[in-house]
């Protein structure tokens, strides 16, 4: 029946002690298992019993006793189940706090021992994102921000709700964007990803965040916005971005691949747009549309040329060279087109 003191933790302002509401009765107040070496397991089994019966307050009380034993092998699992119980009972700030502790514990153990402290780390990050993206924390059927409460993006940036200064913090921003995207809140997803790029520009997954934004803009039918984001990515690869550093293994090659794909996509989108404008101009006899088509061809041609200058031996360079020649031809730049077609004809890369 030995008393076990609360373990000392590296407490972040967003990871403070959970307060139990005054109207909740502690079922196991003052109770301690007699078999102290098995205390964590006993409390875990009690918690599982209540959890399965949907007696969540009692489950929370039992799981909270498990996490009084950070040295026990069941600590990480108990911490996750405590977080999950808070989540299921609609106590969202406490859920975010405990899921954050799961992630932090796992990463601390990985640094200390070379092995992650929890197999549930990824799920914990996902549930932080799901909780922050959820817009009805008071469960009244109406979005909180329509009644003077916080918007999901405000919660995302609230350092009193979850830690913004941890190595895993950028993951949460990206996951919140992913959740909002999957829920078809495309504008909000783009904003979440933009916040991620602004707050953590050197994080290793920065190129992938750009591509997520491109995909969302395309789903919204905003080709201009998607092209602007692609252009940002290409510029990022040409800069001394932090995510190209040694701390992001393999990212330099990955970034170059993404940039080359982005540049090719940007050129082909403008090329297709030019083709459509030219066809409309011919049908309608519109000189204005034809001038717009030539402008689009010029942008595509410059992008194709930038690709060929940057990636001359890339496997796709042969096709890009042909597309450039085609864009020159349809924009009435015939002398340049002839030379470009000849280069494709004589290319040692391929003979298609």
């Amino acid at each position: 029946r030995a008393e076990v003191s609360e373990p000392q933790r590296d407490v972040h302002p967003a990871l403070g002690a959970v307060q139990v509401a005054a109207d909740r009765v502690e079922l196991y107040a003052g109770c301690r298992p007699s078999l102290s070496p098995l205390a964590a397991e006993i409390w875990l089994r009690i918690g599982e019993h209540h959890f399965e019966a949907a007696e969540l307050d009692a489950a929370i009380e039992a799981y909270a006793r498990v996490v009084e034993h950070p040295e026990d092998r069941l600590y990480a699992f108990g911490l996750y189940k405590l977080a999950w119980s808070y989540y299921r009972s609609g106590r969202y700030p406490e859920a975010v706090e405990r899921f954050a502790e799961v992630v932090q514990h796992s990463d601390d153990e990985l640094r200390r021992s070379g092995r992650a402290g929890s197999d549930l780390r990824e799920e914990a990050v996902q549930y932080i994102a799901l909780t922050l993206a959820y817009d009805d924390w008071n469960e009244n059927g109406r979005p909180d921000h329509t009644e003077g409460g916080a918007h999901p993006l405000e919660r995302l940036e609230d350092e009193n709700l979850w830690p913004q200064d941890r190595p895993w913090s950028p993951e949460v921003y990206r996951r919140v964007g992913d959740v909002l995207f999957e829920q078809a809140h495309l504008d909000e997803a783009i904003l979440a990803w933009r916040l991620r790029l602004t707050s953590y520009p050197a994080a290793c997954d920065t190129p992938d965040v750009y591509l997520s934004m491109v995909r969302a803009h395309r789903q919204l039918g905003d080709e201009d916005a998607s092209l602007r984001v692609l252009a940002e990515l290409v510029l990022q690869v040409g800069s001394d971005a932090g995510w190209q550093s040694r701390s992001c293994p393999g990212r330099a090659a990955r970034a170059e691949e993404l940039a080359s794909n982005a540049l090719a996509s940007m050129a082909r989108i403008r090329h297709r747009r030019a083709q459509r404008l030219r066809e409309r101009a011919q049908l309608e006899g519109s000189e204005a549309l034809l001038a717009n088509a030539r402008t689009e061809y010029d942008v595509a041609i410059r992008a194709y040329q930038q690709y060929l200058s940057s990636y001359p031996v890339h496997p796709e360079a042969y096709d890009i060279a042909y597309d450039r020649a085609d864009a020159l031809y349809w924009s009435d730049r015939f002398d340049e087109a002839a030379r470009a077609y000849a280069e494709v004809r004589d290319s040692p890369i391929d003979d298609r």
Side-chain angles (χ1 to χ4, degrees):
R1 299 179 185 275
E3 295 291 326
V4 180
S5 61
E6 176 70 18
Q8 295 298 311
R9 294 182 292 167
D10 175 20
V11 178
H12 184 278
L15 299 181
V18 174
Q19 299 298 317
V20 179
D23 60 346
R24 292 192 177 97
V25 177
E26 290 194 20
L27 190 62
Y28 297 105
C31 181
R32 289 287 185 272
S34 298
L35 300 174
S36 57
L38 300 176
E41 184 170 356
I42 292 169
W43 282 120
L44 182 67
R45 290 176 183 271
I46 292 171
E48 296 288 78
H49 168 77
H50 290 298
F51 186 87
E52 293 300 324
E55 298 165 353
L56 295 174
D57 284 345
I60 287 168
E61 190 180 345
Y63 290 136
R65 301 297 184 88
V66 178
V67 301
E68 292 177 351
H69 303 272
E71 76 291 343
D72 196 274
R73 61 185 177 82
L74 297 173
Y75 170 78
F77 184 65
L79 188 57
Y80 177 84
K81 290 303 297 275
L82 177 59
W84 180 237
S85 299
Y86 281 129
Y87 179 83
R88 280 190 57 187
S89 63
R91 295 168 63 178
Y92 298 116
E94 294 99 326
V96 169
E97 174 185 356
R98 294 305 192 177
F99 281 127
E101 289 184 356
V102 173
V103 179
Q104 190 62 52
H105 170 73
S106 183
D107 290 359
D108 288 345
E109 282 297 299
L110 181 62
R111 282 190 294 272
R112 187 185 67 81
S113 66
R115 297 179 58 187
S118 175
D119 294 334
L120 297 166
R121 180 196 185 280
E122 292 304 306
E123 288 187 37
V125 173
Q126 182 68 8
Y127 273 104
I128 294 172
L130 284 167
T131 308
L132 293 174
Y134 184 50
D135 64 0
D136 187 17
W137 278 24
N138 61 9
E139 302 287 1
N140 69 350
R142 293 185 293 275
D144 296 333
H145 63 277
T146 64
E147 302 178 313
H151 188 279
L153 295 179
E154 292 178 295
R155 291 187 176 121
L156 177 60
E157 293 197 284
D158 187 352
E159 63 183 14
N160 293 314
L161 187 59
W162 70 280
Q164 308 271 312
D165 59 351
R166 304 299 167 91
W168 48 267
S169 299
E171 293 180 59
V172 174
Y173 271 78
R174 181 182 176 186
R175 294 283 188 92
V176 168
D178 293 345
V179 170
L180 292 168
F181 180 84
E182 290 162 5
Q183 295 174 347
H185 300 308
L186 301 182
D187 289 321
E188 293 177 343
I190 291 167
L191 286 172
W193 289 322
R194 181 60 71 184
L195 289 172
R196 152 66 183 79
L197 294 174
T198 302
S199 300
Y200 310 96
C204 292
D205 62 349
T206 289
D208 301 288
V209 175
Y210 275 110
L211 293 186
S212 294
M213 292 172 65
V214 169
R215 186 168 66 251
H217 281 303
R218 283 179 176 169
Q219 285 207 17
L220 287 168
D222 192 341
E223 283 191 350
D224 288 329
S226 69
L227 290 172
R228 286 194 296 272
V229 175
L230 285 172
E232 281 185 61
L233 173 57
V234 172
L235 288 173
Q236 277 280 313
V237 172
S239 69
D240 187 22
W243 44 268
Q244 300 186 68
S245 68
R246 294 178 182 176
S247 61
C248 301
R251 280 291 159 180
R254 170 70 171 152
E256 184 169 308
E257 178 188 356
L258 290 172
S260 64
N261 290 343
L263 197 54
S265 296
M266 182 165 58
R268 285 169 172 154
I269 289 170
R270 301 305 282 263
H271 194 164
R272 287 195 298 269
R273 183 184 292 182
Q275 296 283 68
R276 290 195 296 268
L277 285 169
R278 183 179 60 81
E279 290 167 3
R280 280 185 56 199
Q282 290 176 336
L283 286 173
E284 300 174 21
S286 171
E287 285 298 323
L289 285 175
L290 193 57
N292 290 341
R294 289 196 181 105
T295 298
E296 293 293 333
Y297 279 125
D298 287 345
V299 174
I301 290 163
R302 288 197 298 273
Y304 285 137
Q305 186 56 56
Q306 184 179 346
Y307 185 102
L308 293 170
S309 299
S310 302
Y311 313 106
V313 296
H314 193 281
E316 201 171 357
Y318 181 77
D319 290 326
I320 292 290
Y322 180 84
D323 291 338
R324 174 177 172 272
D326 201 52
L328 286 164
Y329 175 85
W330 290 109
S331 61
D332 298 337
R333 293 163 62 174
F334 298 118
D335 288 342
E336 293 175 81
R339 289 192 294 272
Y341 280 127
E343 290 173 7
V344 175
R345 179 198 61 197
D346 300 335
S347 171
I349 298 174
D350 206 334
D351 62 1
R352 286 180 286 115

